[in-house]
Amino acid sequence: MTERKVISLTPLVPERTHHEATVPDDGGPRLHRPAAHGLRRLRHRARRRRGRRRGRRGGHRRDQPVRGAPLARLRPGGLPRRARGGRLHGEEGGYTEGENLTVDLQNASGDQGTSTSIASNMASSDADLVLAIATPSAQGLAQSVTDRPVLFTAVTDPVEAGLVDSLESPGGNVTGTTDMNPVAEQIALIKQLDPAAESVGIIYSSGETNSQVQVDLAKEAAAEEGLEVVEKSVTNTSEVAQAAESLDTDAIYVPTDNKVVSGLEAVISAAESKKIPLIAGEGDSVERGALITQGLDYEQLGRQTGEMAVRILKEGGDPASMPVESQEDTQLIINLQAAERMGVEVPQELQDSADQVIE
């Protein structure tokens, strides 16, 4: 097998995160097409961007010589631990790092300027494929790298972010996996925890497209639940603590927002002092101290992205015709230790239905 070189770029995520894009070792790939949790809303929001990336086709022919190039991975700050590196563990898909696979992992340490610089350097590299984690990183790579496949993962709305023409037909050299959350189900947890709740505070970054999409969905869901929404936007992680402390609501909701999740401990502290539940957009935040989520398994999402990488590198897949994939199954995760610190009693029925209970 021809050698592949993978550059893994992690510009925006702190080292504590851990996202592995792996390839399956059990034979047939487990593919999920975009039909889950909120994707119908994404389709309604989709705006076709014809001509934006015409002529950019990233598929590799089976007989195309390989340059032993890097796969770049870009990731934004605060994503879950399991969403960290996006490295391609190729031995499961016929690749072995150090033999026929070279991985170059880049980390911008949370700095957007460094992320942009790394993305620019990748454009002139000999990479066979680049991989970005989360929306800001993916946008930077998509703008810089136009002559080879670009994969993304943990991007909430790739159409709204300008990464693809549509979920079903990306149309250029960019495709990947979306982490669109079941936002409505997450907001519904507030009433399940406290039927008397009347309001929810939402903290998010005003500069992240993925966050605004989730906030819009959360506001729709809150209206259906009879909840008033109080929005607090931040421009950087240092503003998260003040935003959380200023809330006077019956619950707090944090979407999969990179800046806010980077400062999650401040939100946890505020929820504990106010004695109100903190609902998170993903499971890692619950492990860190949020109370509950109905969310994705980011480790599996990374693995799914790795499957797509193998189809491109090994089977000649063309990103232009590879639909954006999603995860169909979610997990209900409850942190009872956090519930106690927040003074919240979790109904036994909710505990019994949980996939994971942290005690």
Side-chain angles (χ1 to χ4, degrees):
M1 179 179 295
T2 310
E3 179 186 357
R4 298 285 186 177
K5 185 181 179 185
V6 173
I7 297 176
S8 186
L9 173 58
T10 309
L12 304 177
V13 179
E15 278 304 317
R16 68 170 178 266
T17 58
H18 179 70
H19 177 105
E20 298 294 338
T22 61
V23 215
D25 57 1
D26 57 355
R30 298 174 300 284
L31 306 180
H32 302 286
R33 299 306 181 191
H37 311 298
L39 291 183
R40 291 186 181 87
R41 286 192 177 98
L42 289 189
R43 291 192 180 95
H44 289 302
R45 297 168 63 91
R47 294 195 294 267
R48 301 289 295 182
R49 293 173 172 83
R50 299 185 185 278
R52 178 166 48 83
R53 282 185 296 275
R54 298 206 173 186
R56 290 165 55 178
R57 293 294 181 266
H60 280 266
R61 300 187 309 273
R62 295 173 188 264
D63 58 349
Q64 182 176 355
V66 181
R67 296 160 305 206
L71 175 149
R73 183 194 59 199
L74 217 57
R75 73 178 179 206
L79 281 179
R81 231 184 6 252
R82 289 180 295 273
R84 176 189 174 193
R87 285 185 63 182
L88 176 66
H89 284 255
E91 61 269 15
E92 297 178 358
Y95 294 105
T96 301
E97 188 172 348
E99 294 183 9
N100 60 353
L101 175 69
T102 301
V103 177
D104 183 359
L105 172 61
Q106 302 287 328
N107 190 332
S109 301
D111 185 82
Q112 182 62 53
T114 303
S115 172
T116 301
S117 175
I118 294 173
S120 178
N121 290 338
M122 287 181 177
S124 59
S125 74
D126 58 350
D128 292 295
L129 183 148
V130 294
L131 172 63
I133 293 184
T135 303
S137 300
Q139 289 173 321
L141 276 180
Q143 291 175 2
S144 299
V145 181
T146 61
D147 60 349
R148 73 206 75 180
V150 174
L151 274 181
F152 59 76
T153 187
V155 170
T156 302
D157 189 342
V159 177
E160 186 70 18
L163 296 172
V164 297
D165 291 337
S166 71
L167 298 176
E168 296 83 358
S169 300
N173 67 316
V174 182
T175 189
T177 57
T178 172
D179 67 345
M180 169 54 73
N181 278 313
V183 176
E185 287 89 335
Q186 292 170 351
I187 294 297
L189 291 170
I190 297 172
K191 286 285 193 177
Q192 295 179 52
L193 292 169
D194 180 10
E198 297 179 350
S199 60
V200 55
I202 303 178
I203 308 173
Y204 68 101
S205 170
S206 57
E208 292 191 29
T209 303
N210 57 303
S211 299
Q212 188 60 61
V213 170
Q214 293 175 83
V215 170
D216 291 344
L217 293 174
K219 290 165 68 174
E220 294 177 12
E224 295 177 2
E225 296 288 337
L227 292 167
E228 176 189 357
V229 172
V230 178
E231 299 179 47
K232 295 291 181 180
S233 63
V234 300
T235 58
N236 56 64
T237 300
S238 65
E239 299 175 359
V240 172
Q242 181 178 354
E245 290 294 340
S246 68
L247 286 170
D248 182 17
T249 55
D250 297 320
I252 300 176
Y253 174 65
V254 173
T256 53
D257 181 291
N258 301 297
K259 290 185 176 65
V260 178
V261 174
S262 288
L264 184 66
E265 280 67 29
V267 186
I268 294 170
S269 177
E272 292 176 355
S273 65
K274 296 173 184 293
K275 300 301 179 183
I276 58 175
L278 170 58
I279 290 81
E282 40 75 31
D284 189 73
S285 292
V286 177
E287 293 179 9
R288 288 168 60 186
L291 196 157
I292 194 170
T293 191
Q294 180 84 42
L296 305 181
D297 182 341
Y298 274 87
E299 185 174 356
Q300 175 58 32
L301 190 69
R303 184 182 184 88
Q304 190 171 339
T305 311
E307 295 172 353
M308 297 183 74
V310 168
R311 298 208 305 277
I312 292 172
L313 294 174
K314 191 176 180 180
E315 302 172 13
D318 184 353
S321 57
M322 293 175 65
V324 173
E325 298 184 9
S326 66
Q327 194 173 120
E328 295 183 356
D329 298 324
T330 61
Q331 296 182 325
L332 176 61
I333 305 175
I334 302 173
N335 189 329
L336 292 182
Q337 296 176 10
E340 183 177 357
R341 292 191 295 268
M342 295 172 191
V344 177
E345 183 175 348
V346 180
Q348 188 60 49
E349 182 179 356
L350 199 56
Q351 295 185 43
D352 293 341
S353 62
D355 296 284
Q356 179 183 352
V357 176
I358 302 171
E359 298 181 316

